[in-house]
Amino acid sequence: MFDVVVVGAGPGGSSTAEYAAKAGLDVLFIDSRKEIGWPVQCGEFMPKTEEIERLFENVDEPGELFDVPARVVSKPTSVIRMVSPDGREYDINFSGYSTERRDFDKYLAERAVKAGAELMTDTKFMKFDGRNRVVTTRGTFDAKIVVGADGPFSAVRRSIGLPAPRLLYPAMSTTMNGEFGDTVYMYFGSVAPAGYAWIIPKAGGANVGLGADPALTKREVGFYAKEFIKQTGMKFNTKPRQMIAGGWVPMAGPLSKTVDGNVLLVGDAAGHVMATNGGGICTAMICGRIAGRTIGDHLNGRAPLEKYELEWRRAIGRDLETAKRMVRYASFTFSNDWMLSLLFRFAGRKGLSKVIKCKSIFSLRDWT
Ligand SMILES: Cc1cc2nc3c(=O)[nH]c(=O)nc-3n(C[C@H](O)[C@H](O)[C@H](O)COP(=O)(O)OP(=O)(O)OC[C@H]3O[C@@H](n4cnc5c(N)ncnc54)[C@H](O)[C@@H]3O)c2cc1C
């Protein structure tokens, strides 16, 4: 009998496993992948710790989670250039870095193993046999608590009958060789309807890709991605280094219920993604730490498991809801490049900076 079985060893699952192990629990975390972090289905962009502090003011000790070693940083970046459909550029000061996600996810899993958690790769969650028995492709494990950190299509979430996120964007990316400076580019408009296309500089290249609302795209998102990659290649005189890889991003904000009996949901499985930029690595890590600690408190008789939901909402809930609201307000412009360009001009550099950082352009508090 394990205290906790965590399904998924992405950023959410590994962070949960790390902090549950640090609380002294017997932890097993499993992943269906043979190699953690591979294949990469990501833009690989992370805010630096000081930006995460500004994004989510209520997160305790961000440095403990996010001060990562240089070996998982590919290239630091200092500016996000938002390009409106009419070609105007709005530069936002934002300290971030690209990572090698393949190494980054392994590093997080190593942290959990170092803390005492047991990792099993090539092990897929199949179903529950009663809420305390986890059936996998490599055997059945008994667990007091089960965590679903198994991504947007979470089999754990499905197995307990909780509803899926309402809106999933398909997103695709590849890596290009070449020199791309230290500015992150985000292109908006019909290039990626209701989403954006990105160029994220990496050491010796860039991660290039896009995500879009499937309800507004006239063709498969792969078509838009290939067109954009072609243009990027022409602009920067470079070629793709790696095959294009895709995935899905939950864009409708967090689920209303993330704890059910002895099961918790973390990261993409719970919709913990910033709707204004599609970033979900740091939010999965924040919620993973809260999940691990809360499970520790719970099994030591100090807190109900529901505290997890209260705690992640206290830490990032308001910001995720604000981001969701901002996207909803702007949605009337998403199929009209002219209107979206006008909205960019109205918001200006400062307003866009707020929105991208999950703040409201209408709240005085967020302007101070
Ligand atoms: C194309 C693309 C680009 C993105 N770019 C960025 C970006 O630049 N920055 C950013 O912050 N976010 C980005 N995101 C979002 C980010 O990747 C996710 O929000 C983040 O990975 C969520 O972490 P997680 O641990 O919740 O889930 P995941 O990272 O998806 O991890 C889930 C893990 O569960 C495993 N799993 C799934 N099902 C099972 C099962 N049945 N049994 C066992 N294991 C299972 C999977 O193999 C996987 O390893 C991007 C997403 C996509 C698709």
Side-chain angles (χ1 to χ4, degrees):
M1 167 72 85
F2 286 96
D3 290 321
V4 197
V5 169
V6 181
V7 181
S14 289
S15 303
T16 307
E18 177 186 351
Y19 283 89
K22 281 180 173 163
L25 305 180
D26 271 339
V27 183
L28 172 68
F29 66 129
I30 64 169
D31 203 291
S32 52
R33 292 177 168 190
K34 285 197 170 75
E35 182 186 338
I36 299 296
W38 185 256
V40 171
Q41 297 162 298
C42 191
E44 306 180 276
F45 182 71
M46 275 290 288
K48 280 201 182 145
T49 306
E50 65 259 31
E51 281 307 343
I52 293 175
E53 248 167 345
R54 284 190 278 269
L55 275 166
F56 303 116
E57 288 160 16
N58 292 335
V59 171
D60 309 322
E61 303 170 78
E64 183 195 81
L65 263 183
F66 296 110
D67 289 349
V68 296
R71 70 182 162 88
V72 299
V73 175
S74 180
K75 189 165 196 180
T77 61
S78 52
V79 171
I80 295 180
R81 181 163 295 159
M82 297 175 71
V83 185
S84 70
D86 62 4
R88 275 172 198 264
E89 295 178 346
Y90 301 83
D91 281 4
I92 315 292
N93 292 328
F94 193 94
S95 309
Y97 62 92
S98 55
T99 174
E100 293 294 342
R101 184 79 197 264
R102 191 176 188 170
D103 299 335
F104 188 84
D105 280 21
K106 277 195 198 71
Y107 156 73
L108 293 180
E110 279 160 17
R111 269 183 16 182
V113 169
K114 221 184 210 169
E118 184 181 331
L119 172 64
M120 281 178 78
T121 52
D122 200 10
T123 306
K124 187 173 179 182
F125 168 89
M126 303 302 285
K127 59 175 184 172
F128 284 103
D129 176 10
R131 280 292 184 88
N132 294 98
R133 303 206 85 193
V134 172
V135 181
T136 79
T137 46
R138 292 181 59 191
T140 299
F141 303 98
D142 290 330
K144 294 176 189 157
I145 309 291
V146 179
V147 177
D150 48 345
F153 296 104
S154 175
V156 171
R157 185 187 61 223
R158 248 183 296 129
S159 304
I160 59 169
L162 286 183
R166 274 180 297 108
L167 179 60
L168 291 170
Y169 276 22
M172 299 197 136
S173 75
T174 189
T175 313
M176 312 276 285
N177 285 319
E179 183 41 59
F180 290 82
D182 70 347
T183 297
V184 171
Y185 284 80
M186 296 169 83
Y187 293 87
F188 294 84
S190 47
V191 63
Y196 64 89
W198 65 79
I199 301 174
I200 298 168
K202 295 182 64 165
N207 183 306
V208 178
L210 65 75
D213 184 344
L216 294 178
T217 48
K218 294 194 180 77
R219 304 177 71 159
E220 294 264 299
V221 76
F223 170 81
Y224 291 82
K226 282 183 189 141
E227 283 299 301
F228 179 66
I229 287 160
K230 226 189 300 171
Q231 286 168 25
T232 308
M234 286 186 284
K235 188 170 167 193
F236 288 92
N237 192 22
T238 167
K239 289 200 187 81
R241 181 200 294 177
Q242 185 184 291
M243 282 297 291
I244 193 158
W248 295 82
V249 188
M251 295 293 280
L255 299 183
S256 55
K257 189 172 164 105
T258 56
V259 181
D260 188 82
N262 67 329
V263 179
L264 278 70
L265 300 174
V266 170
D268 277 12
H272 291 144
V273 171
M274 295 175 266
T276 49
N277 58 49
I281 302 173
C282 63
T283 42
M285 290 169 67
I286 290 166
C287 295
R289 178 171 69 175
I290 294 170
R293 284 179 174 166
T294 308
I295 296 167
D297 286 349
H298 176 67
L299 292 180
N300 289 317
R302 289 197 294 267
L305 214 48
E306 285 69 23
K307 185 177 157 224
Y308 163 64
E309 190 155 309
L310 292 176
E311 284 293 310
W312 76 250
R313 286 191 196 282
R314 184 191 65 79
I316 63 168
R318 197 178 71 111
D319 305 292
L320 295 190
E321 293 297 336
T322 301
K324 188 171 109 182
R325 225 174 33 252
M326 289 295 107
V327 171
R328 203 169 57 230
Y329 292 154
S331 62
F332 73 97
T333 67
F334 286 165
S335 44
N336 185 320
D337 279 356
W338 180 79
M339 296 254 271
L340 184 57
S341 299
L342 206 63
L343 188 69
F344 268 58
R345 280 204 216 184
F346 166 74
R349 196 177 63 80
K350 273 193 161 173
L352 292 170
S353 168
K354 298 272 158 229
V355 172
I356 210 78
K357 296 175 187 172
C358 304
K359 301 291 176 279
S360 169
I361 54 172
F362 303 113
S363 152
L364 275 180
R365 183 185 180 279
D366 287 341
W367 282 93
T368 51

